[in-house]
Amino acid sequence: MDSTRIRRAAVAAALVSFVFFGVKDLVMAAAGGVGRTWWENPPFYIAFVLALVSLVLTGLVACRGRTWIARLGLVLVMLLFCAAAAGVGVLVVGVVQPADPGWIWGELNLFMLPLSALALALVLPRWPVAQLPGRAGTGRGAAGTLGV
């Protein structure tokens, strides 16, 4: 498993997810609002699935070489980070939206999922195994044999 390629695929999936959320908003704007065309659904589902794929790929790379406890901890950290990013997105939109917001203000928080997936894909897999607790293979040499 090549970690660099998987990390790049996670970054690409997050970026394409961000673009598809934008396409969804453009389709909605052309139709005149939320729920006016069924064409807004396919870009949403594609974007959502791509964001989840990005998170799964990031988790695969970040959990490589770690114990199951560290893997569980990393997955929990990723979920908490995404939930916190969504919460911050809702708070920021709530603060800056005008008194009579349109439909677009309700759609802005959707961009937090691909942005948090992108942030995790860029940062989390770059942490070496030695920097996180629960490192698997302690005491092994370069070739995987028991070393001194």
Side-chain angles (χ1 to χ4, degrees):
M1 176 168 74
D2 186 10
S3 298
T4 304
R5 287 186 182 174
I6 294 175
R7 188 182 63 81
R8 287 179 184 165
V11 169
L15 289 173
V16 173
S17 171
F18 189 82
V19 168
F20 269 99
F21 275 125
V23 167
K24 174 192 179 292
D25 286 342
L26 288 175
V27 167
M28 288 172 52
V34 178
R36 305 224 177 182
T37 180
W38 66 274
W39 284 99
E40 68 188 64
N41 293 332
F44 170 78
Y45 291 125
I46 292 169
F48 188 72
V49 167
L50 283 171
L52 292 179
V53 165
S54 175
L55 290 172
V56 168
L57 291 175
T58 301
L60 284 174
V61 175
C63 290
R64 184 177 180 200
R66 293 179 172 72
T67 63
W68 69 271
I69 293 174
R71 290 176 182 179
L72 181 63
L74 280 170
V75 168
L76 290 175
V77 165
M78 290 174 66
L79 288 173
L80 287 174
F81 180 78
C82 289
V88 167
V90 168
L91 288 174
V92 169
V93 168
V95 169
V96 299
Q97 72 181 2
D100 187 22
W103 62 268
I104 192 69
W105 291 96
E107 297 292 317
L108 289 177
N109 62 347
L110 289 176
F111 289 96
M112 293 309 292
L113 180 62
L115 286 177
S116 60
L118 179 64
L120 286 170
L122 289 173
V123 174
L124 198 57
R126 291 186 179 261
W127 287 350
V129 176
Q131 288 184 356
L132 292 175
R135 182 179 73 167
T138 307
R140 295 189 181 267
T145 59
L146 291 175
V148 192

